Amino acid sequence: MNNSANKAGTLRVAIMGLGGYATRVAKAMLDSKNAKLVGLISGTPSKIKDWQATYNIPDKNCYNYENFDAIKDNPDIDAVYIITPNGLHHDQTLRVAAAGKHVICEKPMAINAKEGKEMVDACDKAGVKLLVGYRMHFEPNTLEIIRLRDSGEFGEIKFFQGLTGFRIGDPTQWRLDKELAGGGAMMDIGIYSINGARYMVGEEPIWVTAQETKTDPVKFKEGVDETITFQFGFPSGVISSCLSTYSTSNLDKFFLNGTKGFAEMQPSTGYGPIKAWTNKGPLSFPHVAHQTVQMDKMAGIILNGESAQIPVDGKEGLKDLIIIDAIYKAVKTGKKVKIDLT
Ligand code: NDP
């Protein structure tokens, strides 16, 4: 592994895939104290040129999808942040790991648990870290609600509701292509309700039931889900009820209820500001770009072995993929499906 962080302890990052979310991450990284954008991997030469000018990136740190394995010989790059369509994450992660660089991969980490497991194993074998872009795991309102829950403020937790969705536009985009997306709304936005159910409840689900409805089979082809409702059971008896959809606007709400109180968030996972309140009143944390905080924290995890309060490692990403596989199975069979995350 090439672990030559520069003297200031800054994580030097190359972004792979210069699309919409990468643009947001790159801007946010300008304010990061511990991470810096130093390299680019793209299939579009004109974007490379523009980004080089904006972020002052030298030619020697620019790659395309054919030649990026050569990054192994570049001592000026510590980590690659993969921000490409979901269906490409697996192969790209394996290649980055083989090049001896740390991987930060966007959610969903892959398109099924088998791929996810292979990614975790490949990074372990190569001795590099694998982190997933779960920006909400560092968000102050979220962490405060978890602190209040752990302090017993809400009593015994009994119920969680997670509603996440948006109305998807252009029918030709990769998010509606089974090969590149791995599914539909569940892969893209439903994963926030899955992941949120886990960190809000503070337990891992042991079963799931799920139901699908499709109003536009032309736009949402076979294997591309439009709307799925799903319910989890947790070991303590907590239940959750969640909705994942590409058919409504501004659906972004979490609700956690216990024997003594509740917490509610709306918006709960958007880019912010996040709005959160409990039965005792509103929470008020100043808004900071999620991606700036995420990159600062991830630099600490990668360079200094720090840990995240809610994990962001490959094993965490894999858990969500195991659950997604179970949800699709529950939809297909109409049966309650057991989940084993141990
Ligand atoms: P975009 O379509 O905006 O960008 C994806 C980029 O990937 C493209 O611009 C392109 O960059 C590159 N790419 C490589 N191969 C392909 C291909 N075959 N088809 C399309 N693009 C390709 O997507 P997003 O940025 O919105 O999403 C990228 C990833 O980030 C997804 O996994 C998504 O789930 C995740 N995401 C996470 C968010 C979060 O809040 N954590 C928010 C939004 C997205 P180039 O031309 O440089 O090669």
Side-chain angles (χ1 to χ4, degrees):
M1 179 187 62
N2 186 337
N3 193 14
S4 54
N6 69 23
K7 295 230 162 31
T10 302
L11 183 72
R12 297 159 309 169
V13 179
I15 289 185
M16 180 184 297
L18 309 180
Y21 192 59
T23 302
R24 186 177 286 272
V25 169
K27 273 196 193 128
M29 234 194 290
L30 289 173
D31 295 325
S32 167
K33 293 187 288 291
N34 309 328
K36 187 172 192 293
L37 178 64
V38 301
L40 306 170
I41 302 160
S42 170
T44 313
S46 59
K47 286 190 201 167
I48 297 234
K49 232 171 134 229
D50 290 349
W51 281 55
Q52 276 192 280
T54 307
Y55 295 102
N56 196 18
I57 312 279
D59 287 342
K60 70 176 182 58
N61 289 0
C62 295
Y63 300 87
N64 58 39
Y65 298 114
E66 283 72 48
N67 68 14
F68 76 78
D69 308 277
I71 211 163
K72 74 175 189 311
D73 300 317
N74 190 330
D76 298 330
I77 294 171
D78 303 311
V80 175
Y81 193 160
I82 298 174
I83 318 186
T84 55
N86 314 335
L88 307 176
H89 294 174
H90 169 264
D91 285 2
Q92 289 167 342
T93 294
L94 264 48
R95 285 172 66 188
V96 172
K101 302 297 179 182
H102 301 292
V103 180
I104 304 172
C105 181
E106 255 320 313
K107 44 60 55 179
M109 187 174 96
I111 59 171
N112 55 48
K114 178 178 176 290
E115 281 194 1
K117 173 89 171 58
E118 286 168 5
M119 291 160 72
V120 170
D121 290 347
C123 289
D124 278 352
K125 194 172 156 218
V128 298
K129 292 238 162 66
L130 169 59
L131 305 183
V132 185
Y134 287 129
R135 61 189 160 75
M136 299 313 295
H137 291 202
F138 306 107
E139 197 279 318
N141 295 279
T142 306
L143 295 176
E144 175 63 5
I145 289 173
I146 289 168
R147 191 191 68 76
L148 290 170
R149 179 201 70 204
D150 287 346
S151 74
E153 186 73 24
F154 311 127
E156 272 175 51
I157 300 301
K158 294 291 181 189
F159 177 73
F160 172 78
Q161 183 184 40
L163 310 174
T164 41
F166 64 93
R167 205 167 158 72
I168 197 155
D170 178 9
T172 65
Q173 65 186 288
W174 68 259
R175 281 184 165 78
L176 296 171
D177 176 328
K178 163 95 169 116
E179 287 276 297
L180 287 170
M186 184 61 65
M187 285 286 169
D188 193 35
I189 192 79
I191 190 170
Y192 285 97
S193 281
I194 296 170
N195 194 250
R198 296 175 50 231
Y199 64 68
M200 295 288 280
V201 171
E203 297 178 35
E204 299 296 10
I206 50 173
W207 57 256
V208 65
T209 48
Q211 308 78 33
E212 179 175 16
T213 175
K214 198 175 274 202
T215 62
D216 187 345
V218 176
K219 188 165 183 179
F220 305 101
K221 303 205 165 45
E222 179 68 31
V224 178
D225 49 286
E226 176 184 350
T227 299
I228 293 179
T229 53
F230 54 101
Q231 304 78 37
F232 291 136
F234 294 86
S236 68
V238 177
I239 48 168
S240 73
S241 171
C242 300
L243 174 64
S244 157
T245 182
Y246 266 156
S247 288
T248 64
S249 304
N250 301 319
L251 185 63
D252 184 9
K253 182 173 169 175
F254 283 0
F255 177 66
L256 184 71
N257 203 195
T259 50
K260 290 197 331 205
F262 70 82
E264 196 158 0
M265 307 175 80
Q266 187 176 13
S268 55
T269 65
Y271 298 137
I274 298 298
K275 283 204 184 117
W277 60 97
T278 72
N279 49 298
K280 293 201 172 149
L283 305 185
S284 52
F285 290 93
H287 173 65
V288 186
H290 299 167
Q291 297 80 7
T292 308
V293 182
Q294 175 198 321
M295 292 312 296
D296 275 342
K297 296 284 185 187
M298 286 188 166
I301 292 169
I302 291 176
L303 297 178
N304 305 326
E306 291 165 13
S307 55
Q309 189 182 327
I310 317 171
V312 287
D313 58 10
K315 291 195 180 81
E316 173 78 6
L318 175 57
K319 285 181 180 177
D320 284 341
L321 295 174
I322 292 170
I323 294 171
I324 289 176
D325 284 356
I327 291 174
Y328 284 142
K329 188 171 170 193
V331 164
K332 207 167 164 189
T333 60
K335 299 217 165 94
K336 183 190 264 193
V337 173
K338 281 194 183 151
I339 300 170
D340 183 4
L341 299 179
T342 53

